[in-house]
Amino acid sequence: MGINLQVFLFLSLMMAVIISLLFIANTIFAKKISAKVRYIMWIVIMIGLIIPLRPSIGNGVIDIPNFTTIPTESTEHLIPEAGSATQTPATPSEVFDQRVARNHSIPVQTMMLMGWATVAIGIALYHLFQYVRFGRAIKRWGEPEEDEISLELFERVKQEMKLENCKIQLVVCGFISTSMLTGFFKPTILLPERNYDDMELELIFRHELIHYRRKDLWIKLFSVVAVAIHWFNPLVYLMNIALQTEGEASCDQEVLEMSKLKNRHFYAEVIIGMIGEKRLGMTTFSTNFYGGKKGIKRRLEEIMVGTTPHQPISYVFLALTVILTVMSGSVFAVSSLTDMDQNTTEESRENHHDFFEIAINTVGGGSVTEYEQLSDERLLIHVAYNDEVYLVEVDMINTRVIGLSIAHENPELVTGDHAYEINEPVETDIDEIPTEVNTDSSQEESHLSEISSARAGEIALGVAPGRLVEVSRDWENGRPAWWVEIRHGGMVHEFYIDMETGAILQHEIERDD
């Protein structure tokens, strides 16, 4: 995944800690922090959950090991120690087969990512389905407001709030019990079927238009995204509830300030009047004038008490929330495998002969002609064996082979520190040239100097792409030829390729039993 899975998990944990601290702060300093600032603080938390990337300063406060680096299947059983008489060195084809099998396996981290994504997408689709179903219910059962007095009042409130050019529909629905704003692209204010006086209706209009002006529907959308991303974190659900509650409370505060309403009891009665049992077809993507019995108690207390928040304290807590959210990426430092094994890696660099021995045993014999340091972790070793040069790429940290190929040209053997050779006899898979056929040495050398076994393999793979099993010397129709075996798609391809011209003398296909 684009971001390290373990970093993502620990960032979610850190955000859970910040959410807990914010709950404590809002409980202790409830009367000191304004509802608007509390709402903004929860929005900051929500943004921090959606954007997991953080600037990392320093080496972190808490150092944790990297558990997301899942070790792949070891190839040590294919790489015996030099001088071992109890185990036969692996052939290049066997190492290649194991490498392909390892590359096709699914890492644990990938499986975890797939499980996380499945649940996250499921949550998002569920809320989308609810929103679409709610929209269809409005189209079927909702009726545009036709009362002229209500429409005139609605237009007047829009003008006072400088929203007269905004196209907002006013619809009456019989299946809802509280007014609400819905519709991302076609905003609509829904009213329950009941009689309202002008003052009551004006407060409702102001409340919902404030939601529209603050783009609270989009904040609700992003809150659902945060829940979907961190569905495994229980505190994120509490964050979402607090975000919606504080959104309504801050909207109440703005309504009271805008209306200069002295009788706060009347506004509280309007909210209480929205309490009902009709909750059909509700959707997360809508505001809610009522907001539920649990959240209404605190709202009513703040409306009735009417305390004046302490602005400096409010801004201090807002600043702390922003700082903690931004700096949460600097709390944990995930140690990489290189950091953990730095000493081991440095020792390995000083003694490359260990890796030369692995490379020679992987090929099946031969000697090292040269090597190249690709990076701090990777070493490319050239091994000459049976008129071929094999390129063996070794992971210096995990001490395992991660790549194997045949060089197109044989580099000259070098001496000195680069030279390394195992002097034990190694059995070869190359067949001897039949004695009953013309074995004139000059003619044979002339032919062998034209086409190498690597080139013969390339010619055969150009006709039948697959796994190169074996290339050996042979004769066909009195001419020296390379016999090449390739397995592909359950079939065995056998080629006879002219050593001098590279022409395919014979190509047979059999079923792989």
Side-chain angles (χ1 to χ4, degrees), residues 88-92 360 363-366 384-388 390 424-433 453 469-473 482:
T88 303
T91 64
I360 291 174
V363 173
Y385 178 56
N386 286 337
D387 298 329
E388 299 294 344
Y390 296 89
E424 295 186 0
V426 181
E427 295 183 2
T428 174
D429 294 333
I430 305 297
D431 298 333
E432 297 294 333
I433 299 176
S453 61
V469 177
E470 184 179 352
V471 180
S472 60
R473 297 186 182 94
W482 289 108

Short mmCIF file of all heavy atoms in Angstrom, two decimals, residues 88-92 360 363-366 384-388 390 424-433 453 469-473 482:
data_model
loop_
_atom_site.label_atom_id
_atom_site.label_comp_id
_atom_site.label_asym_id
_atom_site.label_seq_id
_atom_site.Cartn_x
_atom_site.Cartn_y
_atom_site.Cartn_z
N THR A 88 22.67 -31.84 -2.15
CA THR A 88 23.06 -31.56 -3.52
C THR A 88 22.77 -30.10 -3.84
O THR A 88 21.67 -29.61 -3.55
CB THR A 88 22.25 -32.44 -4.49
OG1 THR A 88 22.49 -33.80 -4.14
CG2 THR A 88 22.68 -32.18 -5.93
N PRO A 89 23.72 -29.38 -4.43
CA PRO A 89 23.48 -27.98 -4.76
C PRO A 89 22.29 -27.84 -5.70
O PRO A 89 22.07 -28.67 -6.59
CB PRO A 89 24.79 -27.54 -5.44
CG PRO A 89 25.83 -28.52 -4.95
CD PRO A 89 25.09 -29.80 -4.76
N ALA A 90 21.54 -26.78 -5.51
CA ALA A 90 20.36 -26.55 -6.34
C ALA A 90 20.76 -26.07 -7.72
O ALA A 90 21.76 -25.38 -7.89
CB ALA A 90 19.47 -25.50 -5.69
N THR A 91 20.00 -26.49 -8.70
CA THR A 91 20.23 -26.02 -10.06
C THR A 91 19.57 -24.66 -10.24
O THR A 91 18.66 -24.28 -9.49
CB THR A 91 19.62 -27.00 -11.07
OG1 THR A 91 18.20 -27.03 -10.89
CG2 THR A 91 20.19 -28.40 -10.87
N PRO A 92 19.98 -23.86 -11.25
CA PRO A 92 19.37 -22.57 -11.49
C PRO A 92 17.87 -22.65 -11.73
O PRO A 92 17.11 -21.79 -11.31
CB PRO A 92 20.11 -22.05 -12.72
CG PRO A 92 21.45 -22.72 -12.66
CD PRO A 92 21.18 -24.07 -12.09
N ILE A 360 27.72 -19.20 -5.88
CA ILE A 360 28.28 -20.36 -6.56
C ILE A 360 27.44 -21.60 -6.33
O ILE A 360 27.15 -22.38 -7.25
CB ILE A 360 29.74 -20.59 -6.08
CG1 ILE A 360 30.63 -19.46 -6.60
CG2 ILE A 360 30.26 -21.94 -6.55
CD1 ILE A 360 32.04 -19.51 -6.07
N VAL A 363 24.20 -21.54 -8.43
CA VAL A 363 24.39 -21.92 -9.84
C VAL A 363 24.70 -23.41 -9.96
O VAL A 363 24.30 -24.07 -10.92
CB VAL A 363 25.51 -21.05 -10.47
CG1 VAL A 363 25.85 -21.54 -11.86
CG2 VAL A 363 25.07 -19.60 -10.49
N GLY A 364 25.41 -23.96 -8.98
CA GLY A 364 25.77 -25.37 -9.01
C GLY A 364 27.25 -25.60 -9.12
O GLY A 364 27.72 -26.74 -9.18
N GLY A 365 28.04 -24.53 -9.13
CA GLY A 365 29.48 -24.65 -9.23
C GLY A 365 30.06 -23.43 -9.93
O GLY A 365 29.36 -22.46 -10.22
N GLY A 366 31.38 -23.49 -10.22
CA GLY A 366 32.01 -22.41 -10.96
C GLY A 366 32.79 -21.47 -10.06
O GLY A 366 33.18 -21.82 -8.94
N ALA A 384 30.94 -17.70 -13.33
CA ALA A 384 31.24 -18.43 -14.56
C ALA A 384 31.16 -19.93 -14.29
O ALA A 384 31.80 -20.43 -13.36
CB ALA A 384 32.63 -18.06 -15.06
N TYR A 385 30.36 -20.61 -15.11
CA TYR A 385 30.17 -22.04 -14.89
C TYR A 385 29.76 -22.70 -16.21
O TYR A 385 28.76 -22.30 -16.83
CB TYR A 385 29.09 -22.27 -13.83
CG TYR A 385 28.76 -23.73 -13.56
CD1 TYR A 385 29.75 -24.63 -13.18
CD2 TYR A 385 27.45 -24.19 -13.69
CE1 TYR A 385 29.45 -25.95 -12.93
CE2 TYR A 385 27.13 -25.53 -13.44
CZ TYR A 385 28.14 -26.40 -13.06
OH TYR A 385 27.84 -27.71 -12.81
N ASN A 386 30.55 -23.68 -16.67
CA ASN A 386 30.24 -24.43 -17.89
C ASN A 386 29.99 -23.52 -19.09
O ASN A 386 28.93 -23.55 -19.72
CB ASN A 386 29.03 -25.34 -17.67
CG ASN A 386 29.36 -26.54 -16.81
OD1 ASN A 386 30.52 -26.95 -16.70
ND2 ASN A 386 28.35 -27.10 -16.18
N ASP A 387 30.96 -22.69 -19.39
CA ASP A 387 30.92 -21.80 -20.56
C ASP A 387 29.79 -20.78 -20.50
O ASP A 387 29.41 -20.21 -21.52
CB ASP A 387 30.78 -22.62 -21.87
CG ASP A 387 31.96 -23.54 -22.09
OD1 ASP A 387 33.07 -23.16 -21.65
OD2 ASP A 387 31.78 -24.62 -22.69
N GLU A 388 29.21 -20.58 -19.33
CA GLU A 388 28.17 -19.57 -19.17
C GLU A 388 28.52 -18.68 -17.99
O GLU A 388 29.27 -19.08 -17.09
CB GLU A 388 26.80 -20.22 -18.92
CG GLU A 388 26.31 -21.10 -20.05
CD GLU A 388 26.01 -20.30 -21.31
OE1 GLU A 388 25.89 -19.06 -21.21
OE2 GLU A 388 25.90 -20.91 -22.38
N TYR A 390 26.52 -16.61 -15.07
CA TYR A 390 25.23 -16.39 -14.41
C TYR A 390 25.31 -15.13 -13.55
O TYR A 390 26.31 -14.88 -12.87
CB TYR A 390 24.87 -17.59 -13.53
CG TYR A 390 24.64 -18.87 -14.32
CD1 TYR A 390 25.70 -19.73 -14.59
CD2 TYR A 390 23.37 -19.19 -14.78
CE1 TYR A 390 25.50 -20.89 -15.31
CE2 TYR A 390 23.16 -20.36 -15.50
CZ TYR A 390 24.23 -21.21 -15.76
OH TYR A 390 24.02 -22.36 -16.49
N GLU A 424 35.81 -27.87 -5.15
CA GLU A 424 35.25 -29.22 -5.12
C GLU A 424 34.66 -29.57 -6.48
O GLU A 424 34.09 -28.71 -7.16
CB GLU A 424 34.15 -29.30 -4.06
CG GLU A 424 34.70 -29.10 -2.67
CD GLU A 424 33.61 -29.33 -1.64
OE1 GLU A 424 32.49 -29.63 -2.05
OE2 GLU A 424 33.90 -29.24 -0.44
N PRO A 425 34.74 -30.81 -6.90
CA PRO A 425 34.14 -31.21 -8.18
C PRO A 425 32.62 -31.13 -8.09
O PRO A 425 32.03 -31.51 -7.10
CB PRO A 425 34.63 -32.66 -8.37
CG PRO A 425 34.92 -33.14 -6.98
CD PRO A 425 35.43 -31.95 -6.23
N VAL A 426 32.02 -30.61 -9.15
CA VAL A 426 30.57 -30.46 -9.21
C VAL A 426 30.07 -31.19 -10.44
O VAL A 426 30.62 -31.04 -11.54
CB VAL A 426 30.16 -28.98 -9.28
CG1 VAL A 426 28.65 -28.86 -9.33
CG2 VAL A 426 30.73 -28.22 -8.09
N GLU A 427 29.06 -32.02 -10.26
CA GLU A 427 28.47 -32.74 -11.38
C GLU A 427 27.81 -31.77 -12.34
O GLU A 427 27.19 -30.79 -11.92
CB GLU A 427 27.44 -33.75 -10.88
CG GLU A 427 28.06 -34.86 -10.03
CD GLU A 427 27.04 -35.87 -9.61
OE1 GLU A 427 25.86 -35.72 -10.02
OE2 GLU A 427 27.39 -36.81 -8.91
N THR A 428 27.90 -32.03 -13.62
CA THR A 428 27.31 -31.15 -14.63
C THR A 428 26.17 -31.85 -15.33
O THR A 428 26.17 -33.06 -15.49
CB THR A 428 28.38 -30.71 -15.66
OG1 THR A 428 27.73 -29.98 -16.69
CG2 THR A 428 29.07 -31.90 -16.30
N ASP A 429 25.21 -31.05 -15.76
CA ASP A 429 24.07 -31.60 -16.51
C ASP A 429 24.33 -31.63 -18.01
O ASP A 429 23.48 -32.05 -18.78
CB ASP A 429 22.83 -30.74 -16.23
CG ASP A 429 22.41 -30.85 -14.79
OD1 ASP A 429 22.70 -31.89 -14.20
OD2 ASP A 429 21.79 -29.90 -14.28
N ILE A 430 25.52 -31.15 -18.48
CA ILE A 430 25.81 -31.09 -19.90
C ILE A 430 26.23 -32.47 -20.39
O ILE A 430 27.14 -33.11 -19.84
CB ILE A 430 26.94 -30.07 -20.19
CG1 ILE A 430 26.56 -28.71 -19.61
CG2 ILE A 430 27.23 -29.97 -21.67
CD1 ILE A 430 25.33 -28.14 -20.24
N ASP A 431 25.54 -32.96 -21.40
CA ASP A 431 25.85 -34.27 -21.96
C ASP A 431 27.11 -34.19 -22.83
O ASP A 431 27.40 -33.17 -23.46
CB ASP A 431 24.69 -34.78 -22.82
CG ASP A 431 23.44 -34.96 -21.96
OD1 ASP A 431 23.61 -35.19 -20.75
OD2 ASP A 431 22.33 -34.83 -22.51
N GLU A 432 27.85 -35.31 -22.89
CA GLU A 432 29.01 -35.39 -23.77
C GLU A 432 28.54 -35.58 -25.22
O GLU A 432 27.49 -36.15 -25.49
CB GLU A 432 29.91 -36.56 -23.36
CG GLU A 432 30.51 -36.40 -21.96
CD GLU A 432 31.46 -35.24 -21.91
OE1 GLU A 432 32.03 -34.88 -22.96
OE2 GLU A 432 31.64 -34.68 -20.80
N ILE A 433 29.36 -35.12 -26.15
CA ILE A 433 29.02 -35.29 -27.56
C ILE A 433 29.17 -36.75 -27.94
O ILE A 433 30.17 -37.38 -27.61
CB ILE A 433 29.95 -34.43 -28.45
CG1 ILE A 433 29.77 -32.95 -28.06
CG2 ILE A 433 29.70 -34.64 -29.93
CD1 ILE A 433 30.70 -32.03 -28.80
N SER A 453 25.10 -21.25 -25.61
CA SER A 453 23.91 -21.89 -25.06
C SER A 453 22.86 -20.86 -24.64
O SER A 453 21.65 -21.09 -24.75
CB SER A 453 24.30 -22.77 -23.87
OG SER A 453 24.88 -21.98 -22.84
N VAL A 469 14.26 -25.17 -19.11
CA VAL A 469 14.62 -26.27 -18.22
C VAL A 469 16.07 -26.69 -18.41
O VAL A 469 16.83 -26.83 -17.45
CB VAL A 469 13.69 -27.47 -18.42
CG1 VAL A 469 14.11 -28.64 -17.54
CG2 VAL A 469 12.24 -27.06 -18.14
N GLU A 470 16.50 -26.86 -19.67
CA GLU A 470 17.84 -27.40 -19.90
C GLU A 470 18.32 -27.01 -21.29
O GLU A 470 17.54 -26.92 -22.24
CB GLU A 470 17.82 -28.94 -19.76
CG GLU A 470 19.19 -29.57 -19.88
CD GLU A 470 19.14 -31.08 -19.72
OE1 GLU A 470 18.06 -31.60 -19.36
OE2 GLU A 470 20.19 -31.73 -19.96
N VAL A 471 19.62 -26.76 -21.37
CA VAL A 471 20.30 -26.55 -22.65
C VAL A 471 21.54 -27.43 -22.64
O VAL A 471 22.39 -27.30 -21.75
CB VAL A 471 20.70 -25.07 -22.86
CG1 VAL A 471 21.40 -24.91 -24.20
CG2 VAL A 471 19.48 -24.17 -22.77
N SER A 472 21.66 -28.33 -23.63
CA SER A 472 22.80 -29.25 -23.65
C SER A 472 23.28 -29.48 -25.08
O SER A 472 22.55 -29.24 -26.05
CB SER A 472 22.43 -30.60 -23.00
OG SER A 472 21.36 -31.21 -23.70
N ARG A 473 24.52 -29.95 -25.18
CA ARG A 473 25.10 -30.23 -26.50
C ARG A 473 24.51 -31.51 -27.07
O ARG A 473 24.29 -32.48 -26.36
CB ARG A 473 26.62 -30.36 -26.40
CG ARG A 473 27.33 -29.10 -25.94
CD ARG A 473 28.85 -29.31 -26.02
NE ARG A 473 29.58 -28.15 -25.54
CZ ARG A 473 30.02 -27.99 -24.32
NH1 ARG A 473 29.80 -28.94 -23.42
NH2 ARG A 473 30.68 -26.91 -23.98
N TRP A 482 22.42 -27.39 -30.35
CA TRP A 482 22.00 -27.24 -28.95
C TRP A 482 20.62 -27.87 -28.79
O TRP A 482 19.71 -27.58 -29.57
CB TRP A 482 21.91 -25.77 -28.54
CG TRP A 482 23.24 -25.08 -28.40
CD1 TRP A 482 23.76 -24.14 -29.23
CD2 TRP A 482 24.19 -25.27 -27.35
NE1 TRP A 482 24.98 -23.71 -28.80
CE2 TRP A 482 25.27 -24.40 -27.62
CE3 TRP A 482 24.25 -26.09 -26.23
CZ2 TRP A 482 26.39 -24.33 -26.82
CZ3 TRP A 482 25.37 -26.02 -25.43
CH2 TRP A 482 26.43 -25.16 -25.70
#
